[in-house]
Amino acid sequence: SADLYVNEAFAVCHREHASIIQLPKFLPSYAGPALVDEVTNLSRMLKPELPLTVIVGGAKFGTKLPLLTKFLAPAQNIMVGGALAHVFLKQRGYEIGRSLVDESLTIPEALITSPKILLPSEVVVKTTDQKVIHRHLAELLPADTIVDVGPVTIETWSKLIGASKTILWNGPLGYFEDGFGAGTKKLAELITASPAFSVIGGGDTIAAINSPGLLAKFGFVSAAGGAMLQFLSAVTLPGLEALKN
């Protein structure tokens, strides 16, 4: 038997599991302090101090589109990296070679044409003979595989990072699992050195930075990935609604 229910699992509040949405129907139910911390800090992104910069990367394409659509109006800059950028580049007519891409995903025209959407201008590529070199977008070849953003891109973005008051980041900028995490780490250093209030989330993003000392310098590090994205897009989650009801 149980006397009460406390939800501390924000990271799974987007899932309609029995432990998340059914138990609150039978017990006095409360939000735990870690869950409150998540909602409080992520809610600051919904009414941010401007300028707002949003950074989106990684390879979970479909879950990122609602976030991009939601923040297209309030954000001053939306930096897109990782495999998600490959879809944008392809739809904008660039050669992306053998880079990872979701062929089934179509980016809405409003995002493709928006001047707020900032794609890498120069990238790190792996050639067919396993050489790792930097190329500007116009130089990409059919045999190239994009693996990270290049230093020229980071330098361009650094000026906008420095001018931001609020920064939201979800998704690594490169194939860090294969050793291409330099762009992600450099961007993390720039953000934590800036005066902006910064929120970072997503397991892959945190793993790519791989530095407890650096992560501690962000304004808030969310333990969630999918739940963070869904909360910011929908402004609620099934688990939160269960507690309210």
Side-chain angles (χ1 to χ4, degrees):
S1 65
D3 297 317
L4 55 86
Y5 170 86
V6 178
N7 187 340
E8 277 284 57
F10 180 83
V12 292
C13 275
H14 61 314
R15 297 181 177 140
E16 296 187 6
H17 292 167
S19 59
I20 299 298
I21 65 171
Q22 295 297 331
L23 286 178
K25 295 179 180 179
F26 304 106
L27 293 167
S29 300
Y30 302 89
L35 187 144
V36 171
D37 205 27
E38 289 273 1
V39 172
T40 300
N41 283 284
L42 292 179
S43 293
R44 289 183 65 174
M45 299 294 101
L46 302 174
K47 293 184 178 179
E49 185 177 2
L50 303 178
L52 166 66
T53 291
V54 176
I55 304 157
V56 184
K60 294 178 181 177
F61 307 97
T63 61
K64 306 291 173 66
L65 279 183
L67 183 75
L68 293 174
T69 302
K70 174 83 173 183
F71 282 91
L72 185 61
Q76 278 61 57
N77 315 291
I78 300 179
M79 300 168 179
V80 181
L84 184 62
H86 305 164
V87 186
F88 275 88
L89 290 171
K90 186 172 183 179
Q91 280 192 228
R92 286 187 178 181
Y94 288 101
E95 172 65 63
I96 63 167
R98 301 181 179 184
S99 308
L100 177 65
V101 67
D102 185 345
E103 299 287 356
S104 67
L105 187 67
T106 300
I107 306 293
E109 191 66 18
L111 293 173
I112 290 294
T113 59
S114 174
K116 292 183 178 181
I117 301 289
L118 307 176
L119 301 178
S121 58
E122 167 252 11
V123 292
V124 180
V125 303
K126 185 185 286 187
T127 64
T128 50
D129 55 0
Q130 301 303 299
K131 289 182 180 178
V132 176
I133 59 176
H134 296 178
R135 291 200 201 279
H136 288 276
L137 293 185
E139 301 169 340
L140 288 168
L141 302 176
D144 289 337
T145 301
I146 301 171
V147 292
D148 200 1
V149 299
V152 173
T153 295
I154 295 296
E155 178 62 29
T156 302
W157 289 357
S158 69
K159 299 176 177 64
L160 301 173
I161 293 293
S164 299
K165 295 289 183 66
T166 309
I167 298 171
L168 172 64
W169 184 6
N170 184 291
L173 303 181
Y175 188 17
F176 74 94
E177 302 94 331
D178 199 29
F180 298 101
T184 299
K185 287 187 177 179
K186 181 60 180 175
L187 191 67
E189 291 168 358
L190 290 170
I191 292 172
T192 55
S194 78
F197 175 70
S198 54
V199 168
I200 185 172
D204 286 345
T205 320
I206 293 167
I209 293 173
N210 193 28
S211 169
L214 195 54
L215 288 168
K217 295 178 182 178
F218 283 90
F220 181 69
V221 178
S222 175
M228 171 188 179
L229 292 168
Q230 188 170 322
F231 175 79
L232 290 170
S233 301
V235 199
T236 189
L237 295 171
L240 302 181
E241 291 301 311
L243 291 176
K244 290 178 185 177
N245 296 334

